[in-house]
Amino acid sequence: MAEDDDSSKPSASHPPNPLLDDAGPLADPQERRVIFAALDSFHQYRPNAHYNTTHRRRQNLYALPSSQWQMLASPPLSILDTLNAVDDALDHNADLADEIVRLGLAAFGLPEFTPKDSVMNWQGKAKANDISKAHSTIRQFYRDWSHEGFTLEVEPLLRTVISDLESYLPPIQANVGLPSLLLPGAGLGRVLFELALRGYHATGNEISYHQLLASNFILNASHHANQYQIYPFCHTFTNVVSRSNQLKCHTVPDVHPGEAFSQRLAAALPVGEMNMTAGDFVLSYSTPESKDTFDGVVTVFFIDTAPNLVRYIETVRNCLRTGGIWVNIGPLLWHFDDRAPGGAHNHDDEDDHDHDHDDDHREARTNKGSPDQPSSRHRRDSDFEEDKGIAEPGSFELTNEEVLLLVSRMGFEMIKHELLPAHSGYIQDPHSLLQNRYRCSHWVARKVDVVDP
Amino acid sequence: MAEDDDSSKPSASHPPNPLLDDAGPLADPQERRVIFAALDSFHQYRPNAHYNTTHRRRQNLYALPSSQWQMLASPPLSILDTLNAVDDALDHNADLADEIVRLGLAAFGLPEFTPKDSVMNWQGKAKANDISKAHSTIRQFYRDWSHEGFTLEVEPLLRTVISDLESYLPPIQANVGLPSLLLPGAGLGRVLFELALRGYHATGNEISYHQLLASNFILNASHHANQYQIYPFCHTFTNVVSRSNQLKCHTVPDVHPGEAFSQRLAAALPVGEMNMTAGDFVLSYSTPESKDTFDGVVTVFFIDTAPNLVRYIETVRNCLRTGGIWVNIGPLLWHFDDRAPGGAHNHDDEDDHDHDHDDDHREARTNKGSPDQPSSRHRRDSDFEEDKGIAEPGSFELTNEEVLLLVSRMGFEMIKHELLPAHSGYIQDPHSLLQNRYRCSHWVARKVDVVDP
């Protein structure tokens, strides 16, 4: 599962492509199925988005009495013009999705067209849930790689992380190499990139092929800053103040990673290596080979993706050297809160084993209003029937106070802790009439020598 | 459908019971089915809540390696003690649910036990979706009838509404009777009660039998203030800061309606009549008999429940006298945003016709984070398969700017308008790490004489 190949670590200006690992993920039928579903889901973004966003609304409109739809179609409402403008916006998003597919196919050495009966035929493999992940991944470019999204949602967290690292793990120390950091749940790689840029050897880990394909594209294959136009909120017809808000254009990436590295290097400033590994965090980093590997672990909006938090904490402890620093910032939206008893073991089909749960989490983050609602529970159960999720038996959901106690108990000294005010959005349209904001739990812990669990 | 029987209007201190209307809703098999499902859903609250909240978590816990669950069960985490405390809290919620059933059965003249083959056997009729509505209705007591919920969520909106009414429709005018108000989507009746208390003849309209049963209970059958203990957030294991927050107790009702009316009357202050009608807003108030009936219409978190906003606006215009005032406050979370094209007409079974859509809306309000998400769309579609919703063809979702244009175009003078800051929670735990806040669109419009649609 984990393709963490240290020998292939590239230089900072040429981040690695975990899809090309020697392990050859396409050789494994289960892995292949997940990769093909992810590729196909981006391929299907364009027709799916048009169908669900504008085609269905045109159908609904024409189902109205003609006097009504004609009034809505006339100025000043001009609702059909709006739907045409949304179609144009969707096409820009789809252009980005198509680029992700193109690069992904090239990375795996796959042709665009394959005979239908070929085992290498990737088309038509995405299920509804995969396509929904492609949609959320496109929206996530807003958070990570647009100027406004990064400034509003990521930069404040990043500043906190950097301030902690400068206090407890400064990038430049006498007679020591650059510190190494692990970032589980690296997603589209923005925090990873920012930390490497500031002189840390930064390794990201990510389980989702949707995220891996998209981060590979933005980190390695965009040609210049602001190359692509995206319309992250153009699908949203609810809680909208004005059409100009709904149709606001953002460009990505706001920073070109290669250029940024080059500028730092030209100024003789240290930059770190940037590395991405594919696979489940626990399986990848709880091994004896990973023991005491990193100087720091940075978890941003990550720990609540745990099927089992004890395993996450054990894994952080395993791969962190004694004295190493764990910086955490994020809420506690436990993504396995409402899984069925016994977890995925209750399901027959475990094809997606270890693959989809992290994507499911991201959807949970952006979809769940009040996760304890029974109907939300029902939705999630049906998601699991489709997704399977990670086959980790048992789950439990701790309060923030209890998480702090557990981390302390499991071999960490809690250096500092605070609850931040409710300022953190997650792919939040700042103009929407509905504002979902997280209060983040922020803490810094140090791995201590003696464990007494 | 609409049981608006003007002749039966009671005095303010004895609000009416729409369930007892002469029309006899139990005579209609479809109506009976919906009523039985609502009654049964409250009856099933207790076992359902225990099963899904604590039983499943105990099962998950024991699926962990024994060293792990023993650590979690030991102090200071003591997670099994937490589950026991949650069970106790659920029982308090269930006591309230049981009282609602008891009063509902009495109102319909139904016995608690009925032979299974009887057409009057109401037990076992609730589907998962009905039970989920019982859960959200119990939580809604927090918003409407607990001191903290009312103070945080309803009172600020109410103050705005009262201020508007005092400006444009004062309760006491020379030589005129008390003004009459219609409140569509009256829900648990708190705003209705507050306006009647301040000297308005206030008629609430509500489509959901879950809400009707619960409002009938709290308005007419509670004996004293703070009679019942509820734990609105005890089901929530996610985004929790501490167990004491999760297990915070609230008492309802914070005000006893009958006592409050008596005190006003004893002080020789005017109080209005309070009336509740059951049924679909459009069907009930677009009739010739309803024409020019009310001096004011007050919509609070309501207009976005419209399957077709044009019909809502036409209905408000129909039942409002010329010169009458429409006060609106709420967001634009269009509840039919993601319905299938053609609406419920696509479905075979329309048993729930006109009944469930409003409940579905309330769930949408409390569940939907980002309603345009494809997976959210899928969830809603499956809801509709279960619910059917209202059989209103066509739907469309306007921006706030467009709503204002449409209202003006359809025979109203827009007197004032503002977008409020993002302060409005909807059954929001104020201590949660996730804060969902609405910006409300607030406006006052006057029905004008000439229409030029």
Side-chain angles (χ1 to χ4, degrees):
Chain A
M1 176 67 51
E3 281 96 38
D4 186 358
D5 186 354
D6 281 345
S7 67
S8 70
K9 271 187 185 171
S11 72
S13 55
H14 292 87
N17 181 347
L19 308 175
L20 289 174
D21 277 0
D22 293 341
L26 291 184
D28 178 329
Q30 286 186 13
E31 200 93 350
R32 192 166 64 224
R33 208 183 67 70
V34 176
I35 293 166
F36 284 5
L39 286 167
D40 184 49
S41 71
F42 286 111
H43 184 61
Q44 289 195 43
Y45 176 91
R46 193 183 304 267
N48 180 275
H50 285 302
Y51 180 83
N52 281 308
T53 312
T54 53
H55 176 71
R56 283 163 49 122
R57 284 193 169 82
R58 286 192 186 93
Q59 285 187 299
N60 280 337
L61 200 65
Y62 292 128
L64 293 172
S66 63
S67 64
Q68 289 188 15
W69 75 253
Q70 283 168 7
M71 177 174 67
L72 296 168
S74 306
L77 299 186
S78 307
I79 201 162
L80 291 172
D81 294 346
T82 293
L83 295 177
N84 290 339
V86 170
D87 274 330
D88 292 343
L90 291 172
D91 277 326
H92 282 283
N93 292 349
D95 290 344
L96 185 56
D98 283 348
E99 285 298 306
I100 291 169
V101 177
R102 198 185 54 74
L103 184 73
L105 291 174
F108 288 110
L110 288 165
E112 191 176 344
F113 299 103
T114 327
K116 276 208 168 176
D117 55 355
S118 164
V119 293
M120 288 298 152
N121 177 27
W122 56 276
Q123 292 203 22
K125 296 296 188 291
K127 296 176 185 169
N129 193 51
D130 298 304
I131 295 172
S132 130
K133 289 173 193 170
H135 280 254
S136 62
T137 304
I138 296 291
R139 275 193 299 275
Q140 208 176 334
F141 278 110
Y142 165 79
R143 175 177 170 90
D144 275 20
W145 291 101
S146 81
H147 174 72
E148 184 186 56
F150 175 73
T151 305
L152 288 175
E153 300 194 353
V154 179
E155 202 173 37
L157 310 177
L158 182 67
R159 264 200 301 269
T160 302
V161 168
I162 289 169
S163 162
D164 291 336
L165 292 174
E166 281 174 350
S167 297
Y168 303 106
L169 198 64
I172 318 262
Q173 301 169 63
N175 307 320
V176 191
L178 299 183
S180 63
L181 299 177
L182 176 65
L183 285 80
L188 298 193
R190 184 61 187 260
V191 174
L192 182 71
F193 156 73
E194 296 286 345
L195 294 177
L197 189 68
R198 282 164 179 81
Y200 292 93
H201 291 316
T203 299
N205 170 255
E206 179 54 57
I207 194 173
S208 154
Y209 273 103
H210 284 83
Q211 304 277 313
L212 288 164
L213 289 164
S215 62
N216 182 42
F217 165 75
I218 205 82
L219 289 170
N220 299 324
S222 62
H223 296 123
H224 54 84
N226 304 311
Q227 186 177 357
Y228 294 94
Q229 297 188 338
I230 62 164
Y231 295 78
F233 307 115
C234 71
H235 313 71
T236 308
F237 284 71
T238 207
N239 282 316
V240 181
V241 173
S242 74
R243 294 296 171 203
S244 62
N245 288 341
Q246 178 180 359
L247 290 166
K248 191 164 175 199
C249 176
H250 299 269
T251 55
V252 295
D254 60 326
V255 173
H256 185 260
E259 274 176 29
F261 276 113
S262 301
Q263 285 171 11
R264 287 272 298 188
L265 289 166
L269 292 166
V271 299
E273 291 172 355
M274 182 164 65
N275 192 23
M276 182 78 100
T277 67
D280 179 275
F281 169 60
V282 169
L283 295 179
S284 304
Y285 293 99
S286 60
T287 60
E289 300 78 47
S290 307
K291 196 165 160 49
D292 303 333
T293 316
F294 295 99
D295 299 310
V297 172
V298 174
T299 48
V300 178
F301 274 66
F302 177 72
I303 66 168
D304 51 358
T305 68
N308 176 332
L309 184 66
V310 169
R311 299 283 303 279
Y312 265 31
I313 299 173
E314 284 173 349
T315 305
V316 172
R317 190 176 155 78
N318 180 69
C319 69
L320 199 58
R321 68 165 169 79
T322 300
I325 295 298
W326 180 6
V327 178
N328 175 74
I329 187 163
L332 291 178
L333 198 164
W334 298 110
H335 295 309
F336 284 81
D337 185 351
D338 44 14
R339 75 189 317 204
H345 285 304
N346 284 351
H347 297 293
D348 296 332
D349 176 5
E350 295 192 4
D351 273 1
D352 282 354
H353 177 71
D354 285 358
H355 273 294
D356 281 335
H357 76 286
D358 202 44
D359 260 8
D360 195 46
H361 301 161
R362 253 175 279 270
E363 276 306 299
R365 178 87 62 206
T366 49
N367 279 333
K368 284 169 87 173
S370 305
D372 76 310
Q373 313 284 354
S375 70
S376 166
R377 183 182 308 282
H378 298 148
R379 181 179 70 76
R380 299 296 306 288
D381 280 354
S382 68
D383 279 0
F384 279 116
E385 273 162 38
E386 195 176 332
D387 273 20
K388 308 311 166 293
I390 192 167
E392 174 76 35
S395 64
F396 53 91
E397 301 81 29
L398 300 185
T399 65
N400 184 55
E401 288 179 3
E402 291 167 348
V403 168
L404 296 169
L405 288 169
L406 187 64
V407 170
S408 296
R409 191 190 164 114
M410 289 182 66
F412 292 88
E413 172 202 358
M414 194 57 67
I415 300 176
K416 68 185 223 186
H417 168 256
E418 63 181 334
L419 269 181
L420 301 178
H423 292 165
S424 295
Y426 196 93
I427 317 181
Q428 171 68 60
D429 177 356
H431 302 288
S432 173
L433 292 177
L434 173 55
Q435 295 290 318
N436 298 327
R437 300 286 176 172
Y438 291 94
R439 301 175 68 195
C440 286
S441 177
H442 165 227
W443 40 262
V444 182
R446 188 194 311 274
K447 176 175 166 180
V448 291
D449 213 0
V450 182
V451 197
D452 180 23
Chain B
M1 177 67 51
E3 281 95 40
D4 187 357
D5 186 354
D6 281 345
S7 67
S8 70
K9 270 188 185 168
S11 72
S13 54
H14 292 88
N17 182 345
L19 307 176
L20 288 174
D21 276 1
D22 293 340
L26 291 184
D28 178 328
Q30 288 187 13
E31 199 93 352
R32 191 167 65 223
R33 210 184 66 72
V34 177
I35 293 166
F36 285 4
L39 286 167
D40 184 49
S41 71
F42 285 111
H43 184 62
Q44 289 195 43
Y45 176 91
R46 192 183 306 267
N48 180 274
H50 286 302
Y51 180 83
N52 281 308
T53 312
T54 53
H55 176 72
R56 283 162 50 123
R57 283 194 169 80
R58 286 192 186 92
Q59 284 187 300
N60 280 337
L61 199 66
Y62 292 128
L64 293 171
S66 63
S67 64
Q68 288 188 14
W69 74 252
Q70 284 168 7
M71 176 174 69
L72 296 168
S74 306
L77 299 187
S78 306
I79 200 162
L80 291 172
D81 295 346
T82 293
L83 294 177
N84 290 339
V86 170
D87 274 331
D88 293 344
L90 291 172
D91 277 326
H92 282 283
N93 291 350
D95 291 344
L96 185 56
D98 284 348
E99 286 298 307
I100 292 169
V101 178
R102 197 185 55 73
L103 184 72
L105 291 173
F108 287 111
L110 289 165
E112 191 175 345
F113 299 103
T114 327
K116 277 208 168 174
D117 54 357
S118 164
V119 293
M120 289 297 152
N121 177 26
W122 57 275
Q123 291 203 25
K125 296 295 188 292
K127 297 177 184 167
N129 193 51
D130 298 305
I131 296 172
S132 129
K133 289 173 193 170
H135 280 253
S136 62
T137 304
I138 296 291
R139 275 193 300 274
Q140 209 177 332
F141 279 109
Y142 165 78
R143 174 177 170 89
D144 274 21
W145 291 101
S146 81
H147 175 72
E148 186 186 55
F150 174 72
T151 306
L152 288 175
E153 300 194 353
V154 179
E155 202 172 35
L157 309 178
L158 182 68
R159 264 200 301 269
T160 301
V161 168
I162 289 169
S163 162
D164 290 337
L165 291 175
E166 282 174 349
S167 297
Y168 303 105
L169 197 64
I172 318 260
Q173 301 170 62
N175 307 321
V176 191
L178 299 182
S180 63
L181 299 177
L182 176 66
L183 286 80
L188 298 193
R190 183 60 186 262
V191 173
L192 183 71
F193 156 73
E194 296 285 346
L195 293 178
L197 190 67
R198 283 166 179 79
Y200 293 93
H201 290 316
T203 300
N205 170 255
E206 179 54 56
I207 193 172
S208 154
Y209 272 104
H210 285 84
Q211 303 278 313
L212 288 165
L213 289 165
S215 62
N216 183 41
F217 166 75
I218 206 81
L219 289 170
N220 300 322
S222 62
H223 296 123
H224 55 83
N226 304 310
Q227 186 177 356
Y228 294 94
Q229 296 189 338
I230 63 164
Y231 295 78
F233 307 115
C234 71
H235 313 71
T236 309
F237 283 72
T238 206
N239 282 315
V240 181
V241 173
S242 75
R243 294 296 172 202
S244 63
N245 289 340
Q246 180 181 359
L247 291 165
K248 190 162 175 202
C249 177
H250 300 268
T251 55
V252 295
D254 59 327
V255 173
H256 185 261
E259 275 176 30
F261 276 112
S262 302
Q263 285 172 10
R264 288 271 299 187
L265 289 168
L269 291 166
V271 300
E273 291 172 356
M274 182 165 65
N275 191 23
M276 181 80 99
T277 66
D280 178 275
F281 168 58
V282 169
L283 294 180
S284 303
Y285 292 99
S286 60
T287 59
E289 301 77 50
S290 307
K291 194 162 161 53
D292 302 334
T293 316
F294 294 99
D295 299 311
V297 172
V298 174
T299 49
V300 178
F301 274 66
F302 176 70
I303 66 167
D304 52 357
T305 68
N308 176 332
L309 184 65
V310 169
R311 300 284 303 277
Y312 266 31
I313 299 173
E314 284 174 347
T315 305
V316 172
R317 188 175 157 78
N318 180 69
C319 69
L320 198 58
R321 68 166 168 79
T322 300
I325 295 298
W326 180 7
V327 178
N328 176 73
I329 187 163
L332 291 178
L333 198 164
W334 298 111
H335 295 308
F336 283 81
D337 185 353
D338 44 14
R339 75 189 317 203
H345 285 305
N346 285 350
H347 297 295
D348 296 332
D349 176 4
E350 294 192 6
D351 273 357
D352 283 356
H353 177 69
D354 285 358
H355 273 293
D356 281 333
H357 77 284
D358 200 46
D359 260 8
D360 196 46
H361 301 162
R362 255 175 279 270
E363 277 304 299
R365 178 88 61 207
T366 50
N367 279 334
K368 284 170 88 174
S370 305
D372 77 310
Q373 313 284 354
S375 69
S376 165
R377 186 183 306 281
H378 298 147
R379 180 179 69 76
R380 298 296 307 287
D381 281 355
S382 68
D383 278 1
F384 279 115
E385 274 161 38
E386 197 177 330
D387 274 19
K388 308 310 169 292
I390 192 166
E392 174 75 35
S395 64
F396 53 91
E397 302 82 30
L398 300 185
T399 65
N400 184 56
E401 289 180 0
E402 291 167 348
V403 168
L404 295 169
L405 287 170
L406 187 63
V407 170
S408 296
R409 192 192 163 110
M410 289 182 67
F412 292 87
E413 173 202 357
M414 194 58 70
I415 300 176
K416 67 186 226 186
H417 169 258
E418 63 182 335
L419 269 181
L420 302 177
H423 292 163
S424 295
Y426 196 93
I427 317 181
Q428 170 68 60
D429 178 356
H431 302 288
S432 173
L433 293 177
L434 173 55
Q435 295 290 317
N436 297 327
R437 299 286 177 173
Y438 291 94
R439 301 175 68 195
C440 285
S441 179
H442 165 227
W443 41 262
V444 182
R446 188 194 311 274
K447 176 175 166 180
V448 291
D449 213 2
V450 182
V451 197
D452 181 24

